[in-house]
């Protein structure tokens, strides 16, 4: 049954062309120009709730690459460390002790042209795919090999939109056969390669900048935030959390990571004349090795996230499930 089951996923992906995907999405292409500032790019990504955008040449003639949140994170780390090889948590205080100098450096970074950061992380090569291709092709040829996203082009080479690993997950989550399928009912702990036990975790009191540094150093897209007292997973930090920087000063990177990810929301309290700003922390979404593959796919899709922390009975992190592992699983031929 497992063999037919893998075939079922494969059929879903083969049946869906990128052209169909673009028609369903019918949204305009969001892009930035090579001479736009990093700050402007951050604002564009933040306003559209996206993690990356193609970069158009200054003269508008062609696209020259992609910029994503991981590139921006790599740029910020480089700016603060001056390119130093290794960093201890206490070094940040020394480098960043002068808040004004830090914000000055931050604004200098913010004014850099986007062209300086294209694929700085080395994680997202510019590999356009033709709209006539299927989801299965990109899952197998690009996403299972670690590419996170790709521009979709027409026959003339014009970029029409973007497709990412998360779009494969959404497609699987929406498909009718997902739960009638034996593979979906399998606990993730029994599926080879789905749980990655190599991951990075930091306590919530770690400076945000050091947490991002470790993420960049280990080439991770996220780190688990754990309680100082119990070691339980309290939350998640990913490169996308940097999208809030235009609204904050760069010196906010020195604050404890737990505070950095706590969302600031403004609420109008009864009996008070003006709205109050409160910090709300997103509860950590976790799964266990017994959680089924189908449930994991649904959780990733419905929460629009790229990974789920796998915990033991004490809520301690034991691994992580990333979208790439699932895309790899469903696009492999052999079972």
């Amino acid at each position: 049954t497992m063999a037919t089951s893998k075939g079922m996923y494969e059929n879903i992906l083969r049946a869906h062309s990128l052209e169909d995907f673009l028609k369903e999405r019918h949204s305009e292409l969001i892009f930035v120009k090579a001479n736009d500032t990093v700050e402007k790019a951050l604002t564009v990504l933040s306003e559209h709730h996206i993690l990356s955008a193609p970069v158009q040449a200054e003269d508008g003639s062609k696209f020259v690459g992609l910029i994503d949140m991981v590139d921006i994170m790599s740029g910020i780390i480089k700016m603060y460390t001056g390119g130093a090889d290794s960093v201890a948590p206490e070094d940040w205080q020394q480098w960043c002790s002068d808040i004004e100098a830090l914000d000055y450096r931050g604004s200098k970074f913010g004014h850099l042209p986007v062209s300086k950061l294209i694929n700085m992380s080395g994680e997202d090569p510019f590999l356009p795919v033709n709209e006539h291709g299927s989801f299965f092709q990109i899952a197998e040829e690009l996403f299972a090999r670690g590419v996170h996203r790709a521009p979709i082009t027409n026959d003339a080479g014009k970029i029409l939109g973007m497709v990412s690993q998360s779009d494969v997950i959404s497609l699987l989550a929406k498909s009718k056969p997902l739960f009638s399928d034996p593979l979906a009912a399998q606990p993730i702990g029994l599926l080879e390669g789905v749980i990655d036990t190599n991951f990075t975790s930091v306590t919530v009191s770690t400076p945000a900048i050091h947490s991002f540094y470790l993420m960049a150093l280990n080439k991770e897209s996220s780190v688990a935030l754990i309680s100082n007292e119990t070691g339980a997973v309290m939350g998640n930090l990913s490169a996308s959390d940097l999208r809030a920087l235009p609204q904050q000063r760069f010196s906010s990177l020195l604050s404890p990571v737990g505070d950095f990810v706590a969302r600031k929301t403004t609420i109008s309290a009864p009996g008070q004349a003006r709205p109050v700003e409160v910090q709300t922390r997103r509860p950590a979404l976790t799964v266990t090795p017994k959680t089924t593959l189908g449930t994991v796919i649904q959780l990733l899709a419905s929460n629009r996230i790229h990974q789920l922390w796998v915990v033991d009975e004490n809520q301690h992190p034991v691994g992580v499930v990333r979208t790439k592992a699932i895309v790899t699983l469903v696009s492999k031929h052999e079972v």
Side-chain angles (χ1 to χ4, degrees), residues 193 203 214 245 253 306 308:
T203 59
L214 291 174
L245 272 184
L253 286 164
H306 298 91
L308 281 163

Side-chain angles (χ1 to χ4, degrees), residues 2-4 6-7 10 14 136 140-141 327-335:
M2 289 292 273
T4 54
K6 191 75 74 78
E10 190 174 316
R14 283 191 190 280
F136 184 76
E140 186 184 40
E141 291 165 21
V327 172
T328 307
L329 177 81
V330 299
S331 61
K332 265 196 212 148
H333 289 293
E334 78 285 354
V335 179

Side-chain angles (χ1 to χ4, degrees), residues 9-318:
Y9 282 126
E10 190 174 316
N11 293 341
I12 294 166
L13 297 180
R14 283 191 190 280
H16 219 79
S17 75
L18 297 174
E19 208 169 356
D20 297 338
F21 165 70
L22 288 170
K23 278 186 194 131
E24 286 161 23
R25 181 166 269 198
H26 53 76
S27 60
E28 51 166 336
L29 177 69
I30 309 294
F31 62 89
V32 294
K33 282 191 167 310
N35 55 333
D36 281 345
T37 63
V38 171
E39 193 161 3
K40 182 176 177 188
L42 265 172
T43 305
V44 168
L45 295 174
S46 186
E47 280 172 1
H48 292 96
H49 303 288
I50 52 178
L51 296 177
S52 70
V55 181
Q56 193 181 57
E58 221 167 306
D59 61 7
S61 60
K62 61 180 191 291
F63 284 95
V64 290
L66 289 178
I67 179 138
D68 70 2
M69 289 309 306
V70 183
D71 296 324
I72 292 174
M73 178 176 81
S74 305
I76 289 174
I77 298 295
K78 206 167 179 179
M79 170 189 77
Y80 281 124
T81 59
D85 288 340
S86 68
V87 183
E90 54 274 14
D91 293 338
W92 298 110
Q93 292 306 331
Q94 188 189 324
W95 282 330
C96 311
S97 57
D98 181 347
I99 296 289
E100 270 162 28
L102 192 70
D103 278 327
Y104 168 71
R105 228 187 287 185
S107 68
K108 226 168 94 176
F109 174 75
H111 292 129
L112 277 180
V114 162
S115 54
K116 292 257 188 287
L117 292 190
I118 291 174
N119 200 20
M120 185 174 233
S121 65
E123 299 284 289
D124 260 328
F126 189 64
L127 296 168
V129 292
N130 186 282
E131 63 174 333
H132 303 308
S134 73
F135 263 84
F136 184 76
Q137 276 174 296
I138 50 161
E140 186 184 40
E141 291 165 21
L142 294 182
F143 298 157
R145 296 193 176 149
V147 176
H148 295 153
R149 53 186 72 82
I152 305 171
T153 60
N154 62 12
D155 292 335
K158 182 182 174 214
I159 296 187
L160 307 173
M162 299 284 293
V163 62
S164 71
Q165 290 180 7
S166 292
D167 295 316
V168 177
I169 300 292
S170 298
L171 178 62
L172 292 173
K174 283 192 306 223
S175 62
K176 291 286 173 283
L178 178 69
F179 279 100
S180 56
D181 172 345
L183 188 60
Q186 289 284 320
I188 51 170
L190 296 180
L191 294 167
E192 200 186 335
V194 171
I195 299 177
D196 188 351
T197 52
N198 283 324
F199 62 90
T200 304
S201 63
V202 296
T203 59
V204 286
S205 59
T206 307
I209 182 77
H210 191 66
S211 311
F212 282 120
Y213 165 73
L214 291 174
M215 202 188 298
L217 183 73
N218 299 330
K219 293 204 178 314
E220 304 274 14
S221 52
S222 57
V223 298
L225 308 183
I226 59 172
S227 158
N228 286 52
E229 292 79 38
T230 65
V233 175
M234 306 270 293
N236 176 68
L237 179 76
S238 60
S240 60
D241 289 308
L242 285 169
R243 286 187 300 205
L245 272 184
Q247 287 86 46
Q248 301 175 354
R249 293 163 69 98
F250 269 75
S251 48
S252 64
L253 286 164
L254 278 181
S255 59
V257 66
D259 297 343
F260 185 84
V261 297
R263 280 195 188 150
K264 290 187 171 60
T265 43
T266 307
I267 55 162
S268 297
Q272 284 195 295
R274 47 169 218 239
V276 202
E277 201 180 64
V278 293
Q279 288 203 325
T280 58
R281 193 173 277 169
R282 278 165 294 178
L285 261 181
T286 57
V287 291
T288 75
K290 294 190 174 120
T291 308
T292 65
L293 180 67
T295 303
V296 166
I297 289 173
Q298 278 206 315
L299 282 171
L300 290 168
S302 58
N303 292 286
R304 300 173 64 102
I305 50 177
H306 298 91
Q307 78 292 310
L308 281 163
W309 296 104
V310 184
V311 295
D312 63 16
E313 56 282 1
N314 298 315
Q315 296 298 303
H316 291 172
V318 291

